[in-house]
Every structure is written in structure tokens, then in C-alpha cells.
Amino acid sequence: MAQVTGPLRLEATNGRIALELPKSAKATLNARSVNGGINVTGLTIGEGTGRRIRTLESQLNGGGPEIDLRVTNGRINIDGVETPTSPTNPTSQKS
């Protein structure tokens, strides 16, 4: 996902959710896992408590559109990635 431009909701009953977000994304993150856990890497969020994080609410970079993630039997993995750079246009050469 290049940027968060509007609300996003992802749900799974038996399986996992894996989401990659740019580290610079502005969003309000709400994640819940009934039987499983939530793992976040590469993003600055508040620390969870307890042995397993099952509920996470956090504003990324000041907040923005809502990202709502729900899973019943599975994990939620959220990874912060570097924002991809635009490819440069190669200059055409004439022979």
C-alpha cells in the first residue's frame, strides 16, 4: 500500500492478516484478534501489555484515515516499510 487515502477494513475468520504500510503513513490503527496475537514491526506505536497483544489502538504519525483489522482465529502482522521511490524515467538515446 503506497499511502492511506481512506478508511480500510480487513477481516478474517480462520487465517491471518498481513499488512504492509509505509513508515510515513498517517492513519488511525485499530486491530483486534480473538484467538491469536498482533505483531507490529517497523512502526512507532504504543507498547502493548501482557504476554500477548490482542487489541491495539494507535495513531500513526498523528493519525489519519481509520485502518480496522479483525481476526477471529489467527494472527495480525503489520509491517512498516520504507516508502517506495518513484522510478526515474530513462533518457532515450538516439543513435
Side-chain angles (χ1 to χ4, degrees), residues 17-49:
I17 295 175
L19 178 65
E20 289 184 347
L21 291 171
K23 290 181 178 183
S24 61
K26 294 185 178 195
T28 300
L29 182 61
N30 293 305
R32 302 221 189 304
S33 176
V34 176
N35 295 313
I38 300 170
N39 184 45
V40 180
T41 58
L43 294 171
T44 304
I45 60 164
E47 292 295 320
T49 58

Side-chain angles (χ1 to χ4, degrees), residues 1 8 10 17-21 29 67 69 76-80:
M1 175 179 287
L8 173 67
L10 299 174
I17 295 175
L19 178 65
E20 289 184 347
L21 291 171
L29 182 61
I67 298 175
L69 308 172
I76 298 174
N77 294 318
I78 305 165
D79 295 314

